[in-house]
Coordinates of all heavy atoms in Angstrom, one line a residue:
M1 N 20.9 67.3 -39.1 CA 21.1 67.1 -40.5 C 21.7 65.7 -40.8 O 22.3 65.1 -39.9 CB 22.1 68.2 -40.9 CG 22.2 68.4 -42.4 SD 23.2 69.9 -42.8 CE 23.3 69.6 -44.5
V2 N 21.4 65.3 -42.0 CA 21.9 63.9 -42.4 C 23.4 63.9 -42.6 O 23.9 64.8 -43.3 CB 21.1 63.4 -43.6 CG1 21.6 62.1 -44.1 CG2 19.6 63.4 -43.3
C3 N 24.0 62.9 -42.0 CA 25.5 62.8 -42.2 C 25.9 62.4 -43.6 O 25.2 61.6 -44.2 CB 26.0 61.7 -41.2 SG 27.8 61.5 -41.3
S4 N 26.9 63.0 -44.1 CA 27.4 62.7 -45.4 C 28.9 62.3 -45.4 O 29.5 62.2 -46.5 CB 27.2 63.8 -46.4 OG 27.9 65.0 -45.9
S5 N 29.4 62.1 -44.2 CA 30.9 61.8 -44.1 C 31.1 60.3 -43.7 O 31.6 59.5 -44.5 CB 31.6 62.7 -43.2 OG 31.0 62.7 -41.9
V6 N 30.8 60.0 -42.5 CA 31.1 58.6 -41.9 C 29.8 57.8 -41.9 O 29.7 56.7 -42.5 CB 31.8 58.7 -40.6 CG1 31.9 57.3 -39.9 CG2 33.1 59.4 -40.7
K7 N 28.8 58.2 -41.1 CA 27.6 57.5 -40.9 C 26.6 58.0 -42.0 O 25.6 58.6 -41.6 CB 27.0 57.7 -39.5 CG 28.0 57.2 -38.4 CD 27.4 57.5 -37.1 CE 28.4 57.3 -36.0 NZ 27.9 57.8 -34.7
V8 N 26.9 57.7 -43.2 CA 26.1 58.3 -44.3 C 24.6 57.9 -44.2 O 24.3 56.7 -44.0 CB 26.7 57.8 -45.7 CG1 25.9 58.3 -46.8 CG2 28.1 58.3 -45.8
G9 N 23.8 58.9 -44.3 CA 22.3 58.6 -44.2 C 21.7 58.7 -42.8 O 20.5 58.8 -42.7
Q10 N 22.5 58.8 -41.8 CA 22.0 58.9 -40.4 C 21.9 60.3 -40.0 O 22.8 61.1 -40.2 CB 23.0 58.1 -39.5 CG 22.4 58.1 -38.0 CD 23.3 57.3 -37.1 OE1 24.0 56.4 -37.5 NE2 23.3 57.8 -35.8
N11 N 20.8 60.6 -39.3 CA 20.5 62.0 -38.9 C 21.5 62.3 -37.7 O 21.7 61.4 -36.8 CB 19.1 62.1 -38.4 CG 18.5 63.5 -38.7 OD1 19.2 64.3 -39.2 ND2 17.3 63.7 -38.3
C12 N 22.1 63.4 -37.7 CA 23.1 63.7 -36.7 C 23.1 65.2 -36.3 O 22.9 66.1 -37.1 CB 24.5 63.4 -37.2 SG 25.8 63.7 -36.0
L13 N 23.2 65.5 -35.0 CA 23.2 66.8 -34.5 C 24.5 67.6 -34.8 O 24.5 68.8 -34.9 CB 23.1 66.8 -32.9 CG 21.7 66.3 -32.4 CD1 21.8 66.1 -30.9 CD2 20.6 67.2 -32.8
F14 N 25.6 66.9 -35.1 CA 26.8 67.6 -35.3 C 27.0 68.0 -36.8 O 27.9 68.7 -37.1 CB 28.0 66.7 -34.9 CG 28.1 66.4 -33.4 CD1 27.7 65.2 -32.9 CD2 28.6 67.4 -32.6 CE1 27.8 65.0 -31.5 CE2 28.6 67.2 -31.2 CZ 28.2 66.0 -30.7
M15 N 26.2 67.4 -37.6 CA 26.3 67.7 -39.1 C 25.7 69.0 -39.4 O 24.6 69.4 -38.9 CB 25.7 66.6 -39.9 CG 26.2 66.5 -41.3 SD 27.9 66.0 -41.3 CE 28.3 66.3 -43.0
S16 N 26.4 69.8 -40.2 CA 25.9 71.1 -40.7 C 26.3 71.3 -42.2 O 27.0 70.4 -42.7 CB 26.4 72.2 -39.9 OG 27.8 72.4 -40.2
K17 N 25.9 72.3 -42.7 CA 26.2 72.6 -44.1 C 27.7 72.7 -44.3 O 28.2 72.5 -45.4 CB 25.5 73.9 -44.6 CG 24.0 73.7 -44.8 CD 23.3 75.0 -45.2 CE 21.8 74.7 -45.3 NZ 21.1 76.0 -45.5
K18 N 28.4 73.1 -43.2 CA 29.9 73.3 -43.3 C 30.6 71.9 -43.1 O 31.8 71.9 -43.2 CB 30.3 74.3 -42.3 CG 29.9 75.7 -42.5 CD 30.4 76.6 -41.4 CE 29.8 78.0 -41.6 NZ 30.1 78.9 -40.5
G19 N 29.8 70.9 -42.8 CA 30.4 69.6 -42.5 C 30.2 69.2 -41.1 O 29.5 69.8 -40.3
C20 N 31.0 68.1 -40.7 CA 30.8 67.6 -39.3 C 31.5 68.6 -38.3 O 32.6 69.0 -38.5 CB 31.5 66.2 -39.2 SG 31.4 65.5 -37.6
G21 N 30.7 68.9 -37.3 CA 31.1 69.8 -36.3 C 31.7 69.2 -35.0 O 32.0 69.8 -34.0
F22 N 31.8 67.8 -35.0 CA 32.3 67.1 -33.9 C 33.8 67.4 -33.7 O 34.5 67.6 -34.7 CB 32.0 65.6 -34.0 CG 32.4 64.9 -32.7 CD1 31.7 65.1 -31.5 CD2 33.4 64.0 -32.7 CE1 32.0 64.4 -30.4 CE2 33.8 63.3 -31.6 CZ 33.1 63.5 -30.4
N23 N 34.2 67.2 -32.5 CA 35.7 67.4 -32.2 C 36.5 66.5 -33.2 O 36.4 65.3 -33.1 CB 35.9 67.0 -30.8 CG 37.3 67.2 -30.3 OD1 38.0 68.0 -30.9 ND2 37.7 66.5 -29.3
G24 N 37.3 67.2 -34.0 CA 38.1 66.5 -34.9 C 37.5 66.4 -36.3 O 38.1 65.9 -37.3
G25 N 36.2 66.8 -36.4 CA 35.6 66.8 -37.7 C 35.1 65.5 -38.2 O 34.7 65.4 -39.3
T26 N 35.1 64.5 -37.3 CA 34.5 63.2 -37.7 C 34.2 62.4 -36.4 O 34.8 62.6 -35.4 CB 35.5 62.4 -38.6 OG1 35.0 61.2 -38.9 CG2 36.9 62.2 -37.9
C27 N 33.4 61.3 -36.6 CA 33.1 60.4 -35.5 C 34.4 59.5 -35.4 O 35.2 59.4 -36.3 CB 31.9 59.5 -35.9 SG 30.4 60.3 -35.8
H28 N 34.5 58.9 -34.2 CA 35.6 58.0 -33.9 C 35.2 56.6 -34.0 O 34.1 56.3 -33.6 CB 36.3 58.4 -32.6 CG 36.8 59.8 -32.6 ND1 38.0 60.1 -33.2 CD2 36.3 60.9 -32.0 CE1 38.2 61.4 -33.0 NE2 37.2 61.9 -32.3
I29 N 36.0 55.7 -34.4 CA 35.7 54.3 -34.5 C 35.5 53.7 -33.2 O 36.0 54.2 -32.2 CB 36.9 53.6 -35.3 CG1 36.4 52.4 -36.1 CG2 38.1 53.3 -34.4 CD1 37.3 52.1 -37.3
I30 N 34.8 52.6 -33.1 CA 34.5 51.9 -31.8 C 35.8 51.4 -31.2 O 36.8 51.1 -31.9 CB 33.4 50.8 -31.9 CG1 33.9 49.7 -32.8 CG2 32.1 51.3 -32.3 CD1 33.2 48.4 -32.6
V31 N 35.7 51.2 -29.9 CA 36.9 50.6 -29.2 C 36.6 49.1 -28.9 O 35.5 48.6 -29.2 CB 37.1 51.3 -27.8 CG1 37.6 52.7 -28.1 CG2 35.9 51.3 -26.9
E32 N 37.6 48.4 -28.4 CA 37.5 46.9 -28.2 C 36.3 46.6 -27.3 O 35.6 45.6 -27.5 CB 38.8 46.4 -27.7 CG 38.9 44.9 -27.7 CD 40.3 44.4 -27.2 OE1 41.2 45.2 -27.3 OE2 40.3 43.3 -26.7
A33 N 36.1 47.4 -26.3 CA 35.0 47.1 -25.3 C 33.6 47.2 -25.9 O 32.7 46.6 -25.4 CB 35.1 48.1 -24.2
C34 N 33.5 47.8 -27.1 CA 32.2 47.9 -27.8 C 31.8 46.7 -28.5 O 30.7 46.5 -28.9 CB 32.2 49.1 -28.7 SG 32.5 50.7 -28.0
E35 N 32.8 45.8 -28.8 CA 32.5 44.6 -29.6 C 31.3 43.8 -29.0 O 31.4 43.5 -27.8 CB 33.7 43.7 -29.7 CG 34.8 44.3 -30.6 CD 34.4 44.4 -32.1 OE1 33.4 43.8 -32.5 OE2 35.0 45.2 -32.8
G36 N 30.3 43.5 -29.8 CA 29.2 42.8 -29.3 C 28.0 43.6 -29.0 O 26.9 43.2 -28.8
C37 N 28.2 44.9 -28.9 CA 27.1 45.9 -28.6 C 26.3 46.0 -29.9 O 26.8 46.1 -31.0 CB 27.7 47.2 -28.2 SG 26.4 48.5 -27.9
Q38 N 25.0 46.1 -29.8 CA 24.1 46.2 -30.9 C 24.1 47.6 -31.5 O 23.6 47.8 -32.6 CB 22.6 45.9 -30.5 CG 22.4 44.4 -30.2 CD 21.1 44.1 -29.6 OE1 20.3 45.0 -29.4 NE2 20.8 42.9 -29.5
K39 N 24.7 48.6 -30.8 CA 24.8 49.9 -31.3 C 26.1 50.1 -32.1 O 26.3 51.2 -32.7 CB 24.7 50.9 -30.2 CG 23.4 50.8 -29.5 CD 23.1 51.9 -28.5 CE 21.7 51.7 -28.0 NZ 21.2 52.9 -27.4
A40 N 26.9 49.2 -32.2 CA 28.1 49.2 -33.0 C 27.7 48.7 -34.4 O 27.4 47.5 -34.6 CB 29.2 48.4 -32.4
V41 N 27.8 49.6 -35.4 CA 27.3 49.3 -36.7 C 28.4 49.4 -37.7 O 29.2 50.4 -37.7 CB 26.1 50.2 -37.1 CG1 25.7 50.0 -38.6 CG2 24.9 50.0 -36.2
Q42 N 28.4 48.5 -38.7 CA 29.5 48.5 -39.7 C 29.0 49.5 -40.8 O 28.0 49.3 -41.4 CB 29.7 47.1 -40.3 CG 30.7 47.0 -41.3 CD 32.1 47.1 -40.7 OE1 32.4 46.5 -39.7 NE2 33.0 47.9 -41.3
Y43 N 29.9 50.5 -41.1 CA 29.7 51.4 -42.2 C 30.8 51.1 -43.2 O 31.8 50.4 -42.9 CB 29.8 52.8 -41.7 CG 28.6 53.3 -40.9 CD1 28.6 53.1 -39.5 CD2 27.4 53.8 -41.5 CE1 27.4 53.5 -38.7 CE2 26.3 54.2 -40.7 CZ 26.3 54.0 -39.4 OH 25.2 54.3 -38.6
P44 N 30.6 51.6 -44.4 CA 31.7 51.3 -45.4 C 33.1 51.7 -45.0 O 34.0 51.1 -45.4 CB 31.2 52.2 -46.6 CG 29.8 52.3 -46.4 CD 29.5 52.4 -45.0
V45 N 33.2 52.7 -44.1 CA 34.6 53.2 -43.7 C 35.0 52.6 -42.4 O 36.1 52.9 -41.9 CB 34.6 54.7 -43.7 CG1 34.6 55.3 -45.1 CG2 33.5 55.3 -42.8
G46 N 34.2 51.7 -41.7 CA 34.6 51.1 -40.5 C 33.3 50.9 -39.6 O 32.2 51.2 -40.0
K47 N 33.6 50.5 -38.3 CA 32.6 50.2 -37.4 C 32.4 51.4 -36.4 O 33.4 51.8 -35.8 CB 32.9 49.0 -36.6 CG 31.8 48.0 -36.4 CD 32.2 46.7 -35.8 CE 31.1 45.7 -35.8 NZ 31.5 44.4 -35.2
Y48 N 31.2 51.9 -36.3 CA 31.0 53.1 -35.5 C 29.7 52.9 -34.6 O 28.9 52.1 -35.0 CB 30.7 54.4 -36.4 CG 32.0 54.8 -37.1 CD1 32.3 54.2 -38.4 CD2 32.8 55.8 -36.6 CE1 33.5 54.6 -39.0 CE2 33.9 56.2 -37.2 CZ 34.3 55.6 -38.5 OH 35.4 56.0 -39.1
C49 N 29.7 53.7 -33.6 CA 28.5 53.6 -32.6 C 27.4 54.5 -33.2 O 27.7 55.7 -33.6 CB 29.0 54.1 -31.3 SG 27.6 54.2 -30.1
I50 N 26.2 54.0 -33.2 CA 25.1 54.9 -33.7 C 24.6 55.9 -32.7 O 23.9 56.8 -33.0 CB 23.9 54.0 -34.2 CG1 23.4 53.1 -33.0 CG2 24.2 53.2 -35.4 CD1 22.0 52.5 -33.3
S51 N 25.1 55.8 -31.4 CA 24.6 56.7 -30.4 C 25.7 57.8 -30.0 O 25.3 58.9 -29.7 CB 24.3 55.9 -29.1 OG 23.2 55.1 -29.3
F52 N 27.0 57.4 -30.1 CA 28.0 58.3 -29.6 C 29.1 58.5 -30.7 O 29.5 57.5 -31.2 CB 28.6 57.8 -28.3 CG 27.7 57.6 -27.2 CD1 27.4 56.3 -26.8 CD2 27.0 58.6 -26.6 CE1 26.4 56.1 -25.8 CE2 26.1 58.4 -25.6 CZ 25.8 57.2 -25.2
P53 N 29.5 59.7 -30.9 CA 30.6 60.0 -31.9 C 31.9 59.6 -31.4 O 32.8 59.3 -32.2 CB 30.5 61.5 -32.1 CG 29.8 62.0 -30.9 CD 29.0 61.0 -30.3
D54 N 32.1 59.5 -30.0 CA 33.4 59.1 -29.5 C 33.3 58.0 -28.4 O 33.2 58.2 -27.2 CB 34.1 60.3 -28.9 CG 35.5 60.0 -28.5 OD1 36.0 58.9 -28.7 OD2 36.2 60.9 -27.8
P55 N 33.2 56.7 -28.9 CA 33.0 55.6 -28.0 C 34.0 55.5 -26.9 O 33.7 55.1 -25.7 CB 33.0 54.4 -28.9 CG 32.6 54.9 -30.2 CD 33.2 56.3 -30.3
A56 N 35.3 55.8 -27.2 CA 36.3 55.7 -26.2 C 36.0 56.6 -24.9 O 36.3 56.2 -23.8 CB 37.7 56.1 -26.8
A57 N 35.4 57.7 -25.2 CA 35.1 58.6 -24.1 C 34.0 58.0 -23.2 O 34.0 58.2 -22.0 CB 34.6 59.9 -24.6
K58 N 33.1 57.2 -23.7 CA 32.1 56.5 -22.9 C 32.6 55.5 -22.0 O 32.0 55.1 -21.0 CB 31.0 55.9 -23.9 CG 30.1 56.8 -24.6 CD 29.3 57.7 -23.7 CE 28.3 57.0 -22.9 NZ 27.5 57.8 -22.0
W59 N 33.8 54.9 -22.4 CA 34.4 53.9 -21.5 C 35.5 54.4 -20.6 O 36.1 53.7 -19.9 CB 35.0 52.8 -22.5 CG 33.9 51.9 -23.1 CD1 33.4 52.1 -24.3 CD2 33.3 50.8 -22.6 NE1 32.4 51.2 -24.6 CE2 32.4 50.3 -23.5 CE3 33.4 50.1 -21.4 CZ2 31.6 49.2 -23.3 CZ3 32.6 49.0 -21.2 CH2 31.7 48.6 -22.1
H60 N 35.7 55.7 -20.7 CA 36.9 56.3 -20.0 C 36.7 56.2 -18.5 O 37.6 56.0 -17.8 CB 37.0 57.8 -20.4 CG 38.2 58.4 -19.9 ND1 39.5 58.0 -20.3 CD2 38.4 59.4 -19.0 CE1 40.4 58.8 -19.7 NE2 39.8 59.6 -18.9
T61 N 35.5 56.4 -18.0 CA 35.3 56.3 -16.5 C 34.5 55.1 -16.1 O 33.8 55.2 -15.1 CB 34.5 57.6 -16.1 OG1 33.3 57.7 -16.8 CG2 35.4 58.9 -16.3
G62 N 34.6 54.0 -16.8 CA 33.8 52.8 -16.4 C 33.1 52.3 -17.6 O 33.4 52.6 -18.8
N63 N 32.1 51.5 -17.4 CA 31.3 50.9 -18.4 C 30.4 51.9 -19.1 O 29.9 52.8 -18.5 CB 30.4 49.8 -17.9 CG 31.2 48.5 -17.5 OD1 32.3 48.4 -17.8 ND2 30.5 47.7 -16.7
C64 N 30.2 51.7 -20.4 CA 29.4 52.6 -21.2 C 27.9 52.4 -20.7 O 27.4 51.3 -20.6 CB 29.5 52.2 -22.7 SG 28.3 53.1 -23.7
S65 N 27.3 53.5 -20.5 CA 25.9 53.5 -19.9 C 24.9 53.0 -20.9 O 23.8 52.6 -20.6 CB 25.5 54.9 -19.5 OG 25.6 55.8 -20.5
M66 N 25.2 53.0 -22.2 CA 24.2 52.6 -23.2 C 24.6 51.2 -23.9 O 23.9 50.8 -24.8 CB 24.2 53.6 -24.4 CG 23.7 55.0 -23.9 SD 22.0 55.0 -23.5 CE 21.3 55.0 -25.1
A67 N 25.6 50.5 -23.4 CA 26.0 49.3 -23.9 C 24.9 48.2 -23.8 O 24.3 48.1 -22.7 CB 27.3 48.8 -23.2
T68 N 24.6 47.5 -24.9 CA 23.6 46.5 -24.9 C 24.1 45.2 -24.5 O 23.4 44.3 -24.1 CB 22.9 46.4 -26.3 OG1 23.9 46.0 -27.2 CG2 22.2 47.7 -26.7
H69 N 25.4 44.9 -24.7 CA 26.0 43.6 -24.4 C 26.4 43.4 -22.9 O 26.8 42.4 -22.6 CB 27.1 43.4 -25.3 CG 28.3 44.4 -25.2 ND1 28.1 45.7 -25.2 CD2 29.6 44.2 -25.2 CE1 29.2 46.3 -25.1 NE2 30.2 45.4 -25.1
L70 N 26.2 44.4 -22.1 CA 26.6 44.3 -20.7 C 25.4 44.2 -19.8 O 25.6 43.9 -18.6 CB 27.4 45.6 -20.2 CG 28.7 45.9 -20.9 CD1 29.3 47.1 -20.4 CD2 29.6 44.7 -20.8
E71 N 24.2 44.3 -20.3 CA 23.0 44.3 -19.5 C 22.9 43.1 -18.6 O 22.6 43.3 -17.4 CB 21.8 44.4 -20.4 CG 20.6 45.0 -19.7 CD 19.5 45.3 -20.7 OE1 19.8 45.9 -21.7 OE2 18.4 44.9 -20.5
A72 N 23.0 41.9 -19.1 CA 22.8 40.7 -18.3 C 23.8 40.6 -17.2 O 23.4 40.3 -16.0 CB 23.0 39.5 -19.2
T73 N 25.1 40.9 -17.4 CA 26.0 40.8 -16.3 C 25.9 41.9 -15.3 O 26.1 41.7 -14.1 CB 27.5 40.9 -16.9 OG1 27.6 42.0 -17.6 CG2 27.8 39.6 -17.7
T74 N 25.5 43.1 -15.7 CA 25.3 44.2 -14.8 C 24.2 44.0 -13.8 O 24.4 44.3 -12.6 CB 25.0 45.5 -15.6 OG1 25.9 45.6 -16.7 CG2 25.1 46.7 -14.7
K75 N 23.1 43.4 -14.2 CA 22.0 43.1 -13.3 C 22.4 42.1 -12.3 O 22.0 42.2 -11.1 CB 20.8 42.6 -14.1 CG 20.0 43.7 -14.8 CD 18.8 43.3 -15.5 CE 18.1 44.4 -16.2 NZ 17.0 44.0 -17.1
K76 N 23.2 41.1 -12.7 CA 23.6 40.1 -11.7 C 24.5 40.7 -10.7 O 24.4 40.4 -9.5 CB 24.3 38.9 -12.5 CG 23.4 38.0 -13.1 CD 24.2 36.9 -13.8 CE 23.3 36.0 -14.6 NZ 24.1 35.1 -15.5
E77 N 25.4 41.5 -11.1 CA 26.4 42.1 -10.2 C 25.7 43.1 -9.2 O 26.2 43.2 -8.1 CB 27.4 42.9 -11.0 CG 28.4 42.0 -11.8 CD 29.3 42.8 -12.7 OE1 29.3 44.1 -12.7 OE2 30.0 42.2 -13.5
T78 N 24.6 43.7 -9.6 CA 24.0 44.7 -8.8 C 22.9 44.0 -7.8 O 22.4 44.7 -7.0 CB 23.3 45.8 -9.6 OG1 22.4 45.2 -10.5 CG2 24.3 46.6 -10.3
A79 N 22.7 42.7 -8.0 CA 21.7 42.1 -7.1 C 22.3 42.1 -5.7 O 23.4 41.7 -5.4 CB 21.5 40.6 -7.5
K80 N 21.5 42.7 -4.8 CA 21.9 42.9 -3.4 C 21.7 41.6 -2.6 O 20.6 41.0 -2.7 CB 21.2 44.0 -2.7 CG 21.7 45.4 -3.3 CD 21.0 46.5 -2.6 CE 21.5 47.8 -3.2 NZ 20.8 49.0 -2.6
V81 N 22.6 41.2 -1.8 CA 22.5 40.1 -1.0 C 22.6 40.5 0.5 O 23.6 41.2 0.9 CB 23.6 39.0 -1.3 CG1 23.5 37.8 -0.3 CG2 23.5 38.6 -2.7
N82 N 21.7 40.2 1.3 CA 21.7 40.5 2.7 C 22.6 39.5 3.4 O 22.3 38.3 3.4 CB 20.3 40.4 3.3 CG 20.3 40.8 4.7 OD1 21.3 40.7 5.4 ND2 19.1 41.3 5.2
P83 N 23.8 39.9 3.9 CA 24.8 39.0 4.4 C 24.2 38.2 5.6 O 24.6 37.0 5.8 CB 25.9 39.9 4.9 CG 25.5 41.3 4.7 CD 24.2 41.3 4.0
L84 N 23.3 38.8 6.4 CA 22.7 38.0 7.5 C 21.8 36.9 7.0 O 21.9 35.7 7.5 CB 21.9 39.0 8.4 CG 21.4 38.5 9.7 CD1 22.5 38.1 10.6 CD2 20.5 39.5 10.4
K85 N 21.0 37.1 6.0 CA 20.1 36.1 5.5 C 21.0 35.0 4.8 O 20.6 33.8 4.8 CB 19.1 36.7 4.5 CG 18.0 37.5 5.2 CD 17.0 38.0 4.2 CE 15.9 38.7 4.9 NZ 14.9 39.3 4.0
A86 N 22.0 35.5 4.1 CA 22.9 34.5 3.4 C 23.5 33.5 4.4 O 23.6 32.3 4.1 CB 23.9 35.3 2.6
S87 N 24.0 34.0 5.5 CA 24.6 33.2 6.5 C 23.6 32.2 7.1 O 23.9 31.1 7.4 CB 25.3 34.0 7.5 OG 24.4 34.6 8.4
K88 N 22.4 32.6 7.3 CA 21.3 31.8 7.8 C 21.0 30.6 6.8 O 20.8 29.5 7.2 CB 20.0 32.5 8.1 CG 20.1 33.4 9.3 CD 18.8 34.1 9.6 CE 18.8 34.9 10.8 NZ 17.6 35.7 11.0
R89 N 21.0 31.0 5.5 CA 20.7 30.0 4.5 C 21.8 28.9 4.5 O 21.6 27.7 4.3 CB 20.7 30.6 3.1 CG 19.3 31.0 2.7 CD 19.2 31.6 1.3 NE 18.5 32.8 1.4 CZ 19.0 34.0 0.9 NH1 20.1 34.0 0.3 NH2 18.3 35.1 1.1
Q90 N 23.1 29.4 4.7 CA 24.2 28.4 4.7 C 24.1 27.5 5.8 O 24.5 26.3 5.8 CB 25.5 29.2 4.7 CG 25.9 29.8 3.4 CD 27.2 30.5 3.4 OE1 27.7 30.9 4.5 NE2 27.8 30.8 2.3
G91 N 23.5 28.0 7.0 CA 23.4 27.2 8.2 C 22.4 26.0 8.1 O 22.5 25.1 8.8
R92 N 21.5 26.1 7.1 CA 20.4 25.1 7.0 C 20.9 23.8 6.4 O 21.8 23.7 5.6 CB 19.3 25.6 6.1 CG 18.4 26.6 6.8 CD 17.3 27.1 5.9 NE 16.9 28.4 6.4 CZ 16.2 29.2 5.6 NH1 15.8 28.9 4.4 NH2 15.8 30.4 6.0
Ligands
LIG101 S1 26.6 52.2 -27.0 FE1 28.5 52.2 -25.8 S2 29.3 50.1 -25.9 FE2 27.7 50.3 -27.5 S3 28.9 50.9 -29.4 FE3 28.2 52.8 -28.4 S4 29.9 53.4 -27.1 FE4 30.2 51.3 -27.6

């Protein structure tokens, strides 16, 4: 159903005729770590995530899995380096 409280006009699974059914009855504002993410959208009442109603929970156990602003750094960090080949390269 279309949200009529915070993310006005956006389709939401938590919205019903009785109002927002999410924990606390409303979405929660983004956290500092969300700044720069393309999914953080400014609404008249504040900045909210278009994917998750509680952004703080997404960052609770590490990086948010849907964050768009972490993609470049995450790929670099996960590039595997074979220590044996790396030491051979240094020797050249
Ligand atoms: S997708 Fe993750 S990082 Fe981006 S705004 Fe939502 S909770 Fe924050």
Side-chain angles (χ1 to χ4, degrees):
M1 196 171 167
V2 177
C3 178
S4 60
S5 58
V6 175
K7 301 175 190 174
V8 178
Q10 185 178 328
N11 215 0
C12 182
L13 294 173
F14 293 104
M15 200 66 191
S16 70
K17 289 177 183 171
K18 293 178 183 173
C20 180
F22 185 67
N23 184 21
T26 181
C27 288
H28 298 283
I29 208 156
I30 62 161
V31 293
E32 194 178 333
C34 296
E35 287 296 342
C37 181
Q38 291 175 351
K39 297 192 177 199
V41 174
Q42 183 72 48
Y43 288 91
V45 290
K47 225 171 185 181
Y48 290 86
C49 175
I50 58 170
S51 297
F52 303 110
D54 187 5
K58 290 299 292 179
W59 288 94
H60 189 67
T61 55
N63 289 346
C64 171
S65 56
M66 296 290 283
T68 60
H69 58 314
L70 298 180
E71 201 169 312
T73 54
T74 311
K75 282 182 182 172
K76 280 182 188 170
E77 288 172 8
T78 56
K80 289 184 179 178
V81 177
N82 184 333
L84 189 59
K85 287 183 179 178
S87 69
K88 283 182 180 176
R89 268 185 232 125
Q90 284 179 342
R92 287 183 204 159

